[in-house]
Amino acid sequence: MVHRLGLLLPLLLGQLCSQLLGTSGNSMLHYWNLRTENDSWGSKRIQDNDSVASAHTLLFSLDYQHVQTPFEITLWIMLASLAKIGFHLYNKIPAVVPESCLLIFVGLIMGGLIYSLNDKSPPVMNSDIFFLYLLPPIVLDAGYFMPSRPFFENIGTILLYAVVGTMWNAFGIGLSLYGICQVKLFNLEDVSLLHNLWFGSLIAAVDPVAVLSVFEEIHVNEKLHILVFGESLLNDAVTVVLYKLFKSFSEMPSIKPLDILAGIGKFFLVGIGGIFIGLLFGMIAAFTTRFTKTIRVIEPLFVFLYSYLSYLTAEMFHLSGIVA
């Protein structure tokens, strides 16, 4: 009985391996019959043994390219999360380096790991990936946890800083750089005013992460905190609108006064249209969540879906997705 089980067990294992490896069960059975009939090893049996051994190696093969993209994205998010946990656990780190600088350092480590594994440059992030996948959760986090009452009580001052102040920075930086480019010593006369304004719109918005963290630590005046916080939230929308406006101007063969007037009108249309898109999806979300009292598990999903849909809908109509 034991001898029969000893003969039957390899057959069952062979059949299982044949299903895993994609080989036919008849070939495995034929190989076992040849093995049991004669113990001598010929060239044919050596070839069969090599083919089976090579087939067995498929069970332990490494296919990194198949999971490269989701693996690297997951690893990147995990490292950023661990760095954020360590930043808040170790109290001496905030006194030495801001949180944003720490995350930049984690990104450099991640890029070095990707480069060392692939022996080539890591994938470059383009503007579509940033605007469609990375920016929406950042804006949602800032808007969702924003203190609403102090924000709307000081909305006039916040808009003054966010709109007028950001435009002042953008045009001031662009015109200053254009004046520097006209100096023959730098040999930059071929850089046009439009490209300088384009660059100015790119760096005009300030992200006061370190300032806000210091404000929270020293418990600064609430009004000053909400003014800086609200300006940092809305100036991104102004910057994105200016960036896309100057980008469209740079693609035109010639700019006419009518194009400038259309650009100014589009600037206000983009902001106001984003507000209406956000209000529309906000009312739809409020109406939908009235019927989720017994299934509250899907309420967080609605928060993400309606917020992301409002952003994508605004972008689809070339409106401000950040405001929406």
Side-chain angles (χ1 to χ4, degrees), residues 49-70:
N49 190 24
D50 292 339
S51 63
V52 173
S54 63
H56 278 288
T57 57
L58 294 176
L59 291 174
F60 307 99
S61 62
L62 178 64
D63 190 6
Y64 176 73
Q65 301 296 329
H66 180 64
V67 297
Q68 177 183 0
T69 301

Side-chain angles (χ1 to χ4, degrees), residues 142-164:
Y144 189 81
F145 295 101
M146 178 187 65
S148 302
R149 185 173 181 178
F151 177 82
F152 288 105
E153 287 179 353
N154 301 277
I155 188 65
T157 309
I158 292 174
L159 289 176
L160 180 65
Y161 287 152
V163 179
V164 180

Side-chain angles (χ1 to χ4, degrees), residues 162-191:
V163 179
V164 180
T166 303
M167 293 181 64
W168 177 270
N169 287 339
F171 284 96
I173 293 172
L175 294 174
S176 300
L177 289 177
Y178 180 72
I180 295 175
C181 291
Q182 299 306 308
V183 179
K184 296 183 179 180
L185 180 62
F186 297 107
N187 196 19
L188 295 173
E189 293 88 350
D190 56 339
V191 181

Side-chain angles (χ1 to χ4, degrees), residues 191-206:
V191 181
S192 64
L193 174 61
L194 183 59
H195 285 85
N196 284 289
L197 291 175
W198 192 2
F199 178 78
S201 67
L202 185 64
I203 64 171
V206 180

Side-chain angles (χ1 to χ4, degrees), residues 41-260:
W41 291 90
S43 60
K44 182 177 180 180
R45 293 192 178 100
I46 292 176
Q47 294 176 357
D48 291 339
N49 190 24
D50 292 339
S51 63
V52 173
S54 63
H56 278 288
T57 57
L58 294 176
L59 291 174
F60 307 99
S61 62
L62 178 64
D63 190 6
Y64 176 73
Q65 301 296 329
H66 180 64
V67 297
Q68 177 183 0
T69 301
F71 182 81
E72 292 175 355
I73 293 175
T74 306
L75 184 62
W76 169 62
I77 296 175
M78 185 187 68
L79 287 177
S81 302
L82 292 177
K84 193 173 182 67
I85 293 175
F87 181 84
H88 290 280
L89 287 179
Y90 193 64
N91 297 328
K92 294 182 179 180
I93 296 181
V96 178
V97 59
E99 182 180 356
S100 57
C101 296
L102 180 65
L103 294 178
I104 291 174
F105 183 70
V106 173
L108 292 175
I109 295 176
M110 187 62 192
L113 290 175
I114 296 174
Y115 181 80
S116 61
L117 289 175
N118 295 340
D119 196 20
K120 61 181 181 180
S121 299
V124 180
M125 182 181 66
N126 54 28
S127 60
D128 289 336
I129 294 177
F130 176 76
F131 283 113
L132 296 180
Y133 300 105
L134 296 181
L135 185 60
I138 296 174
V139 177
L140 174 61
D141 175 75
Y144 189 81
F145 295 101
M146 178 187 65
S148 302
R149 185 173 181 178
F151 177 82
F152 288 105
E153 287 179 353
N154 301 277
I155 188 65
T157 309
I158 292 174
L159 289 176
L160 180 65
Y161 287 152
V163 179
V164 180
T166 303
M167 293 181 64
W168 177 270
N169 287 339
F171 284 96
I173 293 172
L175 294 174
S176 300
L177 289 177
Y178 180 72
I180 295 175
C181 291
Q182 299 306 308
V183 179
K184 296 183 179 180
L185 180 62
F186 297 107
N187 196 19
L188 295 173
E189 293 88 350
D190 56 339
V191 181
S192 64
L193 174 61
L194 183 59
H195 285 85
N196 284 289
L197 291 175
W198 192 2
F199 178 78
S201 67
L202 185 64
I203 64 171
V206 180
D207 189 11
V209 176
V211 176
L212 291 176
S213 63
V214 173
F215 282 179
E216 292 177 358
E217 291 178 1
I218 64 177
H219 303 288
V220 77
N221 182 271
E222 183 182 6
K223 185 175 183 180
L224 178 60
H225 183 274
I226 196 62
L227 288 178
V228 177
F229 179 80
E231 191 274 337
S232 66
L233 178 63
L234 296 181
N235 65 7
D236 293 330
V238 179
T239 303
V240 171
V241 174
L242 287 177
Y243 177 83
K244 293 184 177 180
L245 182 63
F246 290 133
K247 181 181 178 181
S248 62
F249 282 167
S250 65
E251 295 174 353
M252 296 180 180
S254 62
I255 302 176
K256 301 177 181 179
L258 185 62
D259 296 328
I260 298 177

